Amino acid sequence: MALRPVQVNIKALDHSTIGRFWAEALGWSAYSPGVTTYVGPAGGLVWPDPVAVCVDVVPVPEPKTTTKNRVHLDLATTSAAHQAELVAFLEALGATPAHVGQGKVPWTVLADPEGNEFCVLEPREIYRDTGPIARVVVDCADPQAMARFWGEAMDWTLHEVSDDHAVSRSAKGVGPYLEFLRTPGVKTVPDRVHLDLLPYPGDDKAAEVARLRALGATDLDLGQGDVPWTCLADPEGHEFCVLALS
């Protein structure tokens, strides 16, 4: 039994605008299958995508606070010229420079039009085959503990683990990496960005949720009401959802 991450959920006041921003940023397409804006590879809506971890932008009534998100995307580039061109393109789309204490680093930190932070990485060989999203990064206090929990939750392969970070990727060697990064501070507000997980065909969602609770996940009431997905939090309080197979 295991789960797979299928999308990054981003909350937005204007889901259509933020969805279009991320579609342009990633070179993908924006789809409106319901009340959200789903961003995935061009060529028609496929859910779940067999390779990519996609983006689902969900409308909410509250704006983002000034608190830095504890989950963000890192975008891949293929050359220094590509990095510079992508940053300029994103700023023309409405992204703004963001300062999160990064100091002098080779990557560029930006925020989307509603303030959600993300990074445009300098070219790195390891990310040449990930697609536009190089990695999903989660700030945490204990990467090793997060690696244990998420390693049990998902069937992804652990590539690195240390006191400072833990990195995993799909066992198929496709799509982005997931990195848990030791970061100062503690979680103080609900995550504006989180992962949505999905059982594999034939697996029982209720059994998967029970398994996650046994691993240390806790139930989460966000006012979601009667919905087909289950809202949980990992041992450090990062929200995530277990979706239902359609």
Side-chain angles (χ1 to χ4, degrees):
M1 297 174 69
L3 294 158
R4 49 186 163 150
V6 291
Q7 60 197 27
V8 176
N9 184 299
I10 300 177
K11 297 179 176 66
L13 284 171
D14 185 343
H15 68 95
S16 295
T17 295
I18 298 304
R20 288 193 299 271
F21 171 86
W22 281 104
E24 293 282 349
L26 301 173
W28 287 353
S29 295
Y31 306 95
S32 297
V35 297
T36 72
T37 298
Y38 181 77
V39 177
L45 175 59
V46 176
W47 192 91
D49 190 273
V51 173
V53 175
C54 298
V55 173
D56 194 35
V57 186
V58 178
V60 293
E62 307 86 6
K64 181 182 181 294
T65 68
T66 56
T67 302
K68 174 183 175 292
N69 288 335
R70 292 185 69 81
V71 180
H72 72 266
L73 301 181
D74 282 352
L75 307 190
T77 64
T78 57
S79 67
H82 180 208
Q83 182 186 16
E85 291 165 2
L86 182 56
V87 168
F89 175 70
L90 293 167
E91 289 179 335
L93 288 177
T96 54
H99 302 282
V100 294
Q102 67 266 28
K104 185 175 178 60
V105 292
W107 57 87
T108 301
V109 184
L110 299 173
D112 74 12
E114 288 199 7
N116 299 298
E117 302 88 359
F118 66 97
C119 297
V120 180
L121 300 181
E122 75 283 5
R124 304 184 195 181
E125 187 63 32
I126 191 174
Y127 300 131
R128 284 193 176 273
D129 64 350
T130 60
I133 301 176
R135 61 190 182 191
V136 181
V137 181
V138 181
D139 295 350
C140 66
D142 188 342
Q144 293 187 14
M146 289 293 94
R148 287 192 295 272
F149 173 83
W150 286 89
E152 291 285 344
M154 306 190 312
D155 65 342
W156 281 24
T157 300
L158 185 65
H159 285 257
E160 300 176 51
V161 62
S162 70
D163 288 342
D164 294 323
H165 74 291
V167 180
S168 62
R169 194 186 191 194
S170 167
K172 297 177 182 178
V174 295
Y177 289 80
L178 175 63
E179 179 172 11
F180 293 93
L181 183 65
R182 183 184 292 277
T183 308
V186 296
K187 187 174 182 296
T188 57
V189 298
D191 289 330
R192 197 80 175 173
V193 181
H194 70 255
L195 283 170
D196 285 341
L197 310 183
L198 185 70
Y200 283 92
D203 285 348
D204 181 72
K205 173 178 170 286
E208 284 294 309
V209 170
R211 187 176 66 86
L212 292 170
R213 291 181 182 126
L215 291 171
T218 53
D219 290 290
L220 193 64
D221 185 357
L222 299 171
Q224 66 268 21
D226 185 16
V227 292
W229 58 89
T230 300
C231 299
L232 299 171
D234 73 15
E236 287 200 13
H238 301 102
E239 295 93 346
F240 66 97
C241 294
V242 180
L243 306 181
L245 285 163
S246 56

